[in-house]
Amino acid sequence: MGREDYTQAKPLLEDVLKSDPNNEEALVGLATIAINTGEIDRAKELLKGAVTGQSKPSVAVLSMLTNLSLQENDVAAAEGYLKQLAEIDPANDQVVLQLSNLYLASGRQQEAPAVLAGFLEKHPDSLTVHSRLAELNLAQGKVDEALAVLDKAPDTPQTRLMRASVLTQAGKVDEAIPALKALAADANADRKTSTSARIGLANIYIQQNM
């Protein structure tokens, strides 16, 4: 969209705010224009105006504020907005994943798995969060903990593939091989999972013969 298009859009949105200063759609529209024209401070000001005094701030507005804060490496602000998003939509696993990634990026290594584990206590069916928590445990060399997390996850071909991957990385190939063979032959596994199982098996056999 060219600047001439913004020139047409901006006064329309500003007119809306004259009669309705808290109109969220108008504030978000003006904030979007500000972001696209490099006026980041103006965008933040508009978005903050859209959440001020709101008992339940908009998910869209909070998401935009989170992204702007992350772009500016304002960890404290981003964390605050993510926590507000988690309160509004407590079952949203993408929010808790983003929060855990924020903790990792800011050197808060213990808080990242803790926030994921806390989420799973209330939402035990999230395969995505189970997988991420297992990955974090494995990265810290906690193989048994990673396997324990996956054992509590929904039993799907994807979960079994990840468990086999953890076993492989931990050097427990005698346990990984039968699991991968079963997945490769599983009619209920999607093509991607089945293919990954075959490749995993092939890589084990290659390593055993080197």
Side-chain angles (χ1 to χ4, degrees):
M1 183 179 286
R3 287 183 179 274
E4 65 277 5
D5 296 313
Y6 292 140
T7 301
Q8 294 179 51
K10 191 173 180 179
L12 294 172
L13 296 171
E14 290 173 337
D15 281 344
V16 172
L17 292 180
K18 288 177 182 178
S19 57
D20 185 4
N22 297 316
N23 186 285
E24 182 183 305
E25 289 181 293
L27 288 166
V28 169
L30 286 170
T32 301
I33 292 173
I35 291 169
N36 291 338
T37 55
E39 301 175 86
I40 303 303
D41 288 340
R42 176 58 177 159
K44 288 166 66 177
E45 178 186 345
L46 288 161
L47 292 170
K48 287 177 181 178
V51 299
T52 300
Q54 299 290 327
S55 59
K56 187 177 180 180
S58 160
V59 169
V61 173
L62 287 173
S63 296
M64 291 178 73
L65 281 167
T66 299
N67 291 334
L68 287 175
S69 299
L70 289 172
Q71 288 174 26
E72 296 190 323
N73 201 30
D74 188 342
V75 174
E79 180 182 2
Y81 295 132
L82 285 169
K83 285 183 174 179
Q84 287 186 68
L85 282 167
E87 290 178 5
I88 294 170
D89 189 5
N92 189 329
D93 56 13
Q94 296 306 306
V95 172
V96 75
L97 288 171
Q98 203 171 0
L99 188 56
S100 70
N101 289 338
L102 179 68
Y103 289 150
L104 286 174
S106 56
R108 296 153 69 179
Q109 305 298 325
Q110 301 305 314
E111 291 179 71
V115 73
L116 296 175
F119 179 88
L120 288 174
E121 288 179 3
K122 297 178 180 178
H123 310 284
D125 292 333
S126 174
L127 178 57
T128 304
V129 176
H130 276 289
S131 298
R132 182 58 177 149
L133 182 54
E135 287 174 359
L136 292 184
N137 281 318
L138 185 60
Q140 295 177 5
K142 299 177 180 178
V143 176
D144 290 340
E145 287 88 340
L147 292 172
V149 168
L150 294 173
D151 286 341
K152 294 177 182 177
D155 184 22
T156 67
Q158 292 80 11
T159 305
R160 295 195 291 276
L161 177 64
M162 174 158 276
R163 194 178 193 286
S165 176
V166 170
L167 290 168
T168 301
Q169 292 179 62
K172 299 183 178 184
V173 293
D174 288 343
E175 294 179 58
I177 288 174
L180 290 169
K181 284 182 176 179
L183 272 173
D186 189 346
N188 294 319
D190 59 78
R191 179 176 293 181
K192 182 178 179 181
T193 301
S194 179
T195 298
S196 295
R198 288 179 169 84
I199 291 173
L201 268 175
N203 286 335
I204 290 174
Y205 293 147
I206 290 170
Q207 290 297 319
Q208 287 179 332
N209 286 282
M210 289 180 67

